[in-house]
Amino acid sequence: MPDDEQKKTSDDKFLPEAIAARVDKIGLETEADRVAREEEQKLFARRKQQKKGGLEAAASKRLAKIGETAVKRPTSVQGTAADPLLDRLGLARKWIEQHRASFAGVLTVVAFAAAALGGWAYWQDKRQDDASVLLGRAFADDHGHLASKGDGDDEGATRQLYPTFRSASDRREAALAKYRQLQTKYPGTGAAILARLEEGALLLDTGDAKGALVAYEDAKNSSLAQADPEVRGRALEGIGFAHELLATRDEAAKDKHLDDALSVYRKLQTVDADGFKELGLYHEARVSAEKGDKAKALELLKEANKRVSEPGTKRPFAYLQFALEDRLRELDPGALPPKAARPVGGGAGANLEDNPKLQELIRQLQQQQQQKSQGSEPAPGPRPAPGTSP
């Protein structure tokens, strides 16, 4: 194309008419463009109507659900769920509210049970008190006075505490009756066990060795003896006495009964209470001497005497030191210095010998020696009072 024509054509493009024609042509679309546009619109509509799938759909559903659900504020129980105690208290309160009638019934049962327990405890206390009162009456009979023509009023205060009997037999029967009544009426009480212990001592006084043995065995096997070493010690001593008394009644089985007594007195030495070690040694020495083993008896007596003579040693059995010294001098006159003569005009020795309880013990020992020389063997040793050491 010549240069003039090209320049003319280029100039024509910038003419207003050419520019307007091109602008009008821009707003028009071809048939192919229209069809493509409609297909795109249909495809967009179909996609919009379809449900979303996969993770996108699940996430959309959850977000929609969260948006529709009302928010629950945490309660006081939920807010403290980390504390197990408060959590359980909350559950308990909830249960009580749901089972109000049942809970009221439980409270009623608990109240009745508490009342019953309180009544039982009151009954037990009253039962123990009544048993103790009866034991005191039996003890008073057991240590009652014997009537004599020369009785005066100088012991009026003492006689108000203890009744008076015409004979030792009457006194013993009255005490036995009360001890047995106590055991029947209040079995299992501590007072009943002590009454059984005292019954054994009275049976020994009457010479009923077998009955005494059973009574002392019952006392030894009781719950009180297991808890109180002194009760156990007294029961063991009584069993030993019963075996010694049986040895005097059954000559054929004498050695067996004495061996049984020795075995019991060795157990007596193991009782965990002051004085029973020395008391067991003393009784073992007596029986060893009875069996003819003088050397063993002296050995045991010296050991026991050394123990009770040590400074600061507790002496729950007041008579034991005097009994040990007398038996030592009897078996070996040179084992101890001679007895000191009674001081004239008072002093420590006079005070000891003026002690009425000590005089009574000495009198009983002398009486036993006298009866033994006449051929009648009494129950060995003085009998202790109930609830005290022998």
Side-chain angles (χ1 to χ4, degrees):
M1 180 177 295
D3 291 338
D4 293 336
E5 293 181 358
Q6 290 180 353
K7 183 178 179 181
K8 185 180 181 179
T9 303
S10 175
D11 292 337
D12 291 342
K13 292 181 180 180
F14 295 101
L15 291 174
E17 293 82 359
I19 293 172
R22 288 197 300 272
V23 171
D24 291 338
K25 190 176 180 180
I26 291 174
L28 299 176
E29 61 179 355
T30 64
E31 184 64 23
D33 292 336
R34 184 184 62 77
V35 172
R37 179 175 55 76
E38 291 178 353
E39 290 297 328
E40 288 180 358
Q41 291 177 349
K42 292 178 182 179
L43 179 61
F44 179 76
R46 285 196 301 270
R47 287 181 177 178
K48 188 176 182 180
Q49 292 176 359
Q50 288 177 352
K51 293 182 179 180
K52 297 179 181 180
L55 294 176
E56 184 181 2
S60 299
K61 288 181 179 180
R62 186 174 294 275
L63 289 173
K65 187 175 181 180
I66 291 174
E68 295 173 357
T69 304
V71 178
K72 294 180 66 177
R73 299 296 178 187
T75 63
S76 60
V77 175
Q78 292 173 341
T80 56
D83 191 333
L85 178 59
L86 295 179
D87 188 35
R88 291 178 183 177
L89 289 175
L91 293 175
R93 183 179 63 183
K94 183 178 180 181
W95 183 89
I96 292 173
E97 292 174 354
Q98 294 175 352
H99 304 81
R100 191 176 301 275
S102 301
F103 185 68
V106 170
L107 288 180
T108 302
V109 171
V110 171
F112 275 115
L117 183 61
W120 180 82
Y122 170 78
W123 177 79
Q124 281 290 93
D125 291 343
K126 186 177 185 306
R127 186 168 177 263
Q128 292 283 0
D129 292 343
D130 292 344
S132 298
V133 170
L134 186 53
L135 179 64
R137 292 174 181 172
F139 176 74
D141 285 354
D142 198 1
H143 293 76
H145 297 281
L146 296 180
S148 60
K149 294 182 179 179
D151 283 344
D153 296 332
D154 54 337
E155 297 182 355
T158 304
R159 291 189 180 279
Q160 289 179 5
L161 298 176
Y162 299 99
T164 301
F165 297 93
R166 298 180 60 183
S167 66
S169 177
D170 291 343
R171 179 176 61 187
R172 184 165 46 251
E173 291 302 322
L176 267 176
K178 285 188 173 61
Y179 285 139
R180 287 168 176 167
Q181 178 188 2
L182 171 56
Q183 296 171 55
T184 301
K185 194 172 182 179
Y186 306 104
T189 61
I193 295 170
L194 292 177
R196 187 63 167 155
L197 197 63
E198 292 308 312
E199 182 184 1
L202 289 174
L203 292 174
L204 272 182
D205 288 347
T206 63
D208 185 0
K210 292 183 179 180
L213 186 60
V214 174
Y216 280 124
E217 287 284 356
D218 290 344
K220 178 180 73 72
N221 296 326
S222 68
S223 58
L224 181 60
Q226 303 306 315
D228 190 336
E230 291 193 8
V231 174
R232 177 176 171 78
R234 288 190 53 204
L236 285 171
E237 185 184 31
I239 292 172
F241 286 167
H243 282 302
E244 287 191 72
L245 188 55
L246 285 172
T248 65
R249 304 292 173 83
D250 187 0
E251 189 65 28
K254 178 179 179 179
D255 289 339
K256 177 186 179 303
H257 292 305
L258 290 178
D259 288 338
D260 290 339
L262 282 175
S263 177
V264 172
Y265 291 143
R266 288 176 185 135
K267 290 180 182 178
L268 181 62
Q269 298 170 36
T270 66
V271 172
D272 187 19
D274 292 330
F276 283 100
K277 172 70 175 180
E278 296 78 12
L279 185 64
L281 288 170
Y282 168 68
H283 289 320
E284 185 182 357
R286 288 192 306 98
V287 178
S288 296
E290 183 68 20
K291 288 175 64 67
D293 193 347
K294 181 179 177 180
K296 181 66 173 177
L298 280 171
E299 177 186 349
L300 294 169
L301 288 171
K302 288 178 180 179
E303 180 183 355
N305 188 59
K306 180 181 178 181
R307 292 177 66 93
V308 299
S309 301
E310 291 178 353
T313 302
K314 294 182 180 180
R315 299 178 179 85
F317 309 116
Y319 67 91
L320 184 57
Q321 185 172 3
F322 300 100
L324 283 167
E325 291 177 354
D326 288 344
R327 189 57 65 99
L328 265 174
R329 290 189 178 95
E330 179 184 339
L331 294 180
D332 183 6
L336 294 173
K339 279 186 177 182
R342 181 176 180 179
V344 178
N351 290 336
L352 286 175
E353 295 198 10
D354 287 340
N355 189 321
K357 293 184 178 179
L358 179 59
Q359 289 297 317
E360 176 65 17
L361 289 172
I362 294 173
R363 185 190 65 76
Q364 291 182 8
L365 290 172
Q366 291 174 346
Q367 184 180 8
Q368 290 175 13
Q369 292 295 330
Q370 182 180 3
Q371 290 178 351
K372 185 174 181 180
S373 63
Q374 295 175 355
S376 61
E377 181 70 27
R383 182 168 60 86
T388 61
S389 300

